[in-house]
Amino acid sequence: MLPLQIVVIGGGAAGFFGAIACAKVNPDAQVTLIEASRQPLAKVLISGGGRCNVTHACFDPGELVQNYPRGAKALRGAFTRFQAQDTVAWFAKHGVYLKTEADGRMFPVTNTSETIVECLIKAAATSGVKLRIGTPVTSVKRTSKDHGFDILLKSGETIKCDRLLLATGSSLIGYKIARELGHKIESPVPSLFTFNILDPKLRELAGISVDTVQLRLSVGGKSQLQQTGPLLITHWGLSGPAVLKLSAWGARVLHESRYQATLLINWLPGLQQEQVREQILAVKNEWAKKAIALHRGVDLPHRLWQYIIARAGITTEDRWAGISNKTLNLLVQELTQGQYLISGKGVFKEEFVTCGGVNLQEVNFKTMESKLVPGLYFAGEILDIDGVTGGFNFQSAWTTAYLAGNAMGTELSHI
């Protein structure tokens, strides 16, 4: 009897993890990993600023799924089978130890993504996975017996296999193959991006960060979503965890609005608007003869305070004693719900995440097998799953790949 022929298309995190899982659970199977480029795991290598944010220290599946704008429901059961704690244990078993940073992100203790890349390549080789790099795939077809697949390579060669795992990330060829095999593809659009704000005065503050702000997104005059967290002012507008999370949850609505929207910023989310007003009045009474620009009375960076008061029509020479009630109201408004026009999206260089992909209703999340095409499996970003920044996208890749790999190697129903 010929050994089971299994092919994984895509040499990224999900592809390697799935291939390794499959080869380990079924040592007799012939597992081949095909990667179009000459550099497997390229995205892993540059992720997390070259450190690789492997996962997040959130070990409760119910809490973990709350970090996925798309895919949370489908991942709930999957995370009970393989979650962040299992990822940590897997890498430790393979000699790679992770550390947890203050915000919950987990990185290799070596602080370099090369550690993760080397670990995966070594584990694949040790497990007997056959790696073929620089091997682009052009199409996949079901065999005439409706059992197995014919994979056509750009070179003209055809590879036959019994089971196939698509772990092609957000590449167009993966969507093309899935669609040709009968799957619906939810339109891919960017997720995790920064906001362009056409305000030269704001951009002059590039590099200033605020630990906690509350953001509200308004598209077409309707308040859509909100996020609270750190904010970073950049040379093109706004970034930081709060912005990136908001961009993930608002990926589709922002795409539909062509990235034209209004952002409402509450710079002092720990206070009610009336409390901010009382605090400003107290400062006015105490520092009546002092310049407003130099005596702020709120916990914000000095240059940011000067920018905000200018938006309220206050000059650097104005004193607290001379501020009118109307100007005071404008200042409170700027501090608690200042309006900023989003004019486009920037790039978050550390993660390249796409919202969209294979429709989740067409996939069995116990095994990651297609409900439409027996023997076809999916893992990673090709699925309509995306998480916020912090290691969550890698975690969904590890989880779906592990489940797919184990199922491919052990399921006997299609042989």
Side-chain angles (χ1 to χ4, degrees):
M1 184 177 175
L2 291 172
L4 192 63
Q5 298 294 316
I6 294 172
V7 169
V8 177
I9 302 178
F16 264 84
F17 213 63
I20 294 164
C22 185
K24 286 197 170 183
V25 78
N26 189 345
D28 295 327
Q30 175 59 64
V31 182
T32 303
L33 177 59
I34 301 174
E35 166 57 29
S37 73
R38 290 281 175 188
Q39 176 65 63
L41 298 163
K43 190 170 170 181
V44 174
L45 199 59
I46 60 176
S47 68
R51 293 198 298 149
C52 189
N53 184 184
V54 178
T55 187
H56 199 95
C58 179
F59 304 135
D60 180 329
E63 289 181 25
L64 192 55
V65 295
Q66 293 173 26
N67 294 283
Y68 294 86
R70 283 148 293 272
K73 185 179 178 183
L75 286 171
R76 182 64 177 82
F79 282 152
T80 64
R81 300 177 185 90
F82 192 92
Q83 52 125 310
Q85 213 163 23
D86 301 302
T87 300
V88 175
W90 189 95
F91 278 101
K93 185 179 177 182
H94 291 79
V96 175
Y97 298 94
L98 306 180
K99 61 177 179 176
T100 306
E101 300 203 337
D103 58 5
R105 293 180 301 161
M106 300 192 75
F107 295 88
V109 294
T110 58
N111 255 347
T112 173
S113 54
E114 289 178 4
T115 304
I116 303 300
V117 171
E118 289 167 4
C119 172
L120 292 170
I121 290 175
K122 181 180 177 182
T126 303
S127 302
V129 174
K130 182 181 179 183
L131 179 60
R132 295 188 59 171
I133 60 172
T135 309
V137 172
T138 57
S139 65
V140 173
K141 289 184 170 55
R142 290 293 264 162
T143 58
S144 55
K145 297 177 182 177
D146 198 32
H147 162 72
F149 305 87
D150 287 338
I151 303 166
L152 182 63
L153 306 182
K154 190 176 181 180
S155 64
E157 178 189 354
T158 297
I159 298 176
K160 295 183 178 291
C161 67
D162 301 300
R163 290 169 194 170
L164 174 65
L165 172 59
L166 289 181
T168 48
S170 57
S171 75
L172 296 179
I173 185 63
Y175 298 141
K176 173 179 175 284
I177 292 169
R179 190 181 288 111
E180 288 176 350
L181 290 172
H183 278 275
K184 179 183 177 183
I185 304 298
E186 303 297 335
S187 299
V189 301
S191 182
L192 285 185
F193 48 83
T194 58
F195 295 159
N196 291 347
I197 309 288
L198 294 179
D199 181 345
K201 294 295 184 184
L202 177 68
R203 294 179 176 193
E204 287 175 9
L205 304 179
I208 289 178
S209 62
V210 181
D211 288 342
T212 309
V213 301
Q214 184 183 69
L215 304 179
R216 276 193 295 138
L217 187 66
S218 177
V219 181
K222 295 181 180 177
S223 184
Q224 301 278 347
L225 301 158
Q226 71 176 40
Q227 282 291 332
T228 300
L231 179 82
L232 173 67
I233 301 173
T234 69
H235 291 292
W236 57 88
L238 298 171
S239 185
V243 167
L244 295 170
K245 288 180 181 179
L246 195 59
S247 78
W249 289 97
R252 290 213 175 276
V253 69
L254 283 166
H255 177 76
E256 289 163 6
S257 72
R258 299 189 178 185
Y259 305 100
Q260 307 295 307
T262 300
L263 185 68
L264 301 174
I265 304 181
N266 181 353
W267 297 99
L268 302 167
L271 300 171
Q272 297 293 327
Q273 191 175 67
E274 196 51 45
Q275 290 177 306
V276 174
R277 185 185 307 279
E278 289 172 5
Q279 199 162 309
I280 294 296
L281 282 170
V283 174
K284 179 183 178 182
N285 293 332
E286 184 176 353
W287 302 102
K289 296 181 180 180
K290 303 291 185 179
I292 298 170
L294 300 176
H295 295 78
R296 57 191 183 275
V298 295
D299 189 17
L300 288 174
H302 180 63
R303 288 172 58 214
L304 176 59
W305 168 256
Q306 292 185 323
Y307 165 77
I308 289 172
I309 65 171
R311 281 175 58 101
I314 299 169
T315 70
T316 53
E317 289 78 28
D318 285 339
R319 310 282 168 174
W320 277 111
I323 189 173
S324 67
N325 285 335
K326 181 181 178 182
T327 302
L328 188 141
N329 289 338
L330 284 173
L331 178 55
V332 172
Q333 180 87 1
E334 285 295 336
L335 287 167
T336 58
Q337 45 185 340
Q339 293 192 21
Y340 297 79
L341 296 178
I342 298 171
S343 60
K345 68 175 180 62
V347 176
F348 179 45
K349 296 179 181 179
E350 293 190 355
E351 294 196 35
F352 317 92
V353 177
T354 302
C355 135
V358 173
N359 185 289
L360 305 186
Q361 299 295 320
E362 300 172 351
V363 181
N364 177 353
F365 268 74
K366 289 183 178 178
T367 61
M368 303 313 302
E369 185 177 19
S370 164
K371 293 178 180 178
L372 310 179
V373 186
L376 175 64
Y377 296 76
F378 299 100
E381 204 184 341
I382 189 174
L383 294 156
D384 185 20
I385 294 174
D386 62 288
V388 298
T389 181
F392 300 104
N393 287 295
F394 268 130
Q395 185 54 53
S396 63
W398 308 131
T399 293
T400 54
Y402 183 84
L403 296 178
N406 275 276
M408 286 193 299
T410 56
E411 291 288 313
L412 302 174
S413 55
H414 308 308
I415 299 177

